[in-house]
Amino acid sequence: MSYVEKNLVPGETLLYETRHHWIVLLGPLFLSLILGALGVWLLWGAMQSRNGGNNFASTVGMGPEGMSVAAVIVLVIALAIFLYGNAKRNATEMAVTNRRVLIKTGMASRRTLDLMLSRVESIGVEESVTGRMMGFGTVIVRGTGGTPEQFVMIAHPQEFRRAVQEQSGLADGAVGK
């Protein structure tokens, strides 16, 4: 169960939810692929040395057993990097309910922003050209009398802003679209 779902109050309805865009996984994925390729290369070399092929292990400076251990360690590190990146992506939640805007970031340490819709002064979106094409951007939320809070690499930032604006209009007594 997500942070948002756990923190809904009675009578509150979840209307829109988003998180970090998948593009934040490109860095961990790239690093994992490089380390994975190194691990496979070491494993291949260890198998070649064991099967009496070229003496690849002596070229690297370790025996086939050492290469096998190094390959497994490198592959585990590659997997850990990708899983950490995925967990970090999923640790950011942004939601709009019929009463509030809820934002949570962080895994071990947590940063939350729960803002009543009537207290939302403005919500801005910054998108680069790449962000517009791929559907990510920075969301800037400002509560009345507060400092702006920036949340980067958020998926579908325009839809998030639209959901906040629609609900803020309804909360203020305005007529919907």
Side-chain angles (χ1 to χ4, degrees):
M1 182 177 276
S2 72
Y3 169 83
V4 172
E5 292 169 343
K6 287 180 190 174
N7 288 289
L8 291 176
V9 296
E12 191 171 29
T13 307
L14 181 61
L15 302 171
Y16 186 81
E17 190 171 15
T18 190
R19 59 180 8 115
H20 274 295
H21 193 267
W22 61 264
I23 203 160
V24 299
L25 291 175
L26 289 181
L29 178 64
F30 182 70
L31 187 55
S32 294
L33 287 175
I34 290 173
L35 289 174
L38 175 63
V40 168
W41 180 71
L42 286 170
L43 206 53
W44 176 80
M47 289 184 346
Q48 289 293 322
S49 294
R50 277 195 195 119
N51 293 336
N54 62 1
N55 202 359
F56 185 74
S58 63
T59 307
V60 174
M62 62 177 88
E65 293 80 19
M67 284 179 58
S68 297
V69 170
V72 169
I73 290 171
V74 170
L75 289 170
V76 167
I77 290 171
L79 180 63
I81 288 171
F82 183 74
L83 291 177
Y84 175 77
N86 194 41
K88 191 172 178 183
R89 174 187 183 247
N90 291 332
T92 296
E93 299 176 48
M94 299 180 76
V96 180
T97 71
N98 58 336
R99 296 182 183 177
R100 331 177 257 175
V101 174
L102 293 106
I103 302 171
K104 188 229 17 141
T105 61
M107 290 189 311
S109 62
R110 183 183 291 176
R111 178 177 163 220
T112 61
L113 174 68
D114 292 2
L115 190 59
M116 300 303 288
L117 286 170
S118 60
R119 297 288 189 195
V120 175
E121 185 175 295
S122 67
I123 183 161
V125 172
E126 293 178 359
E127 294 174 300
S128 64
V129 172
T130 307
R132 287 186 65 195
M133 291 188 317
M134 299 189 75
F136 67 89
T138 300
V139 174
I140 305 158
V141 178
R142 181 188 303 264
T144 53
T147 59
E149 300 280 344
Q150 285 193 2
F151 302 94
V152 298
M153 303 294 269
I154 301 301
H156 313 293
Q158 295 290 351
E159 287 85 357
F160 180 79
R161 179 176 67 178
R162 188 174 303 113
V164 172
Q165 289 172 336
E166 286 174 0
Q167 285 308 303
S168 292
L170 295 173
D172 292 341
V175 178
K177 286 185 175 181

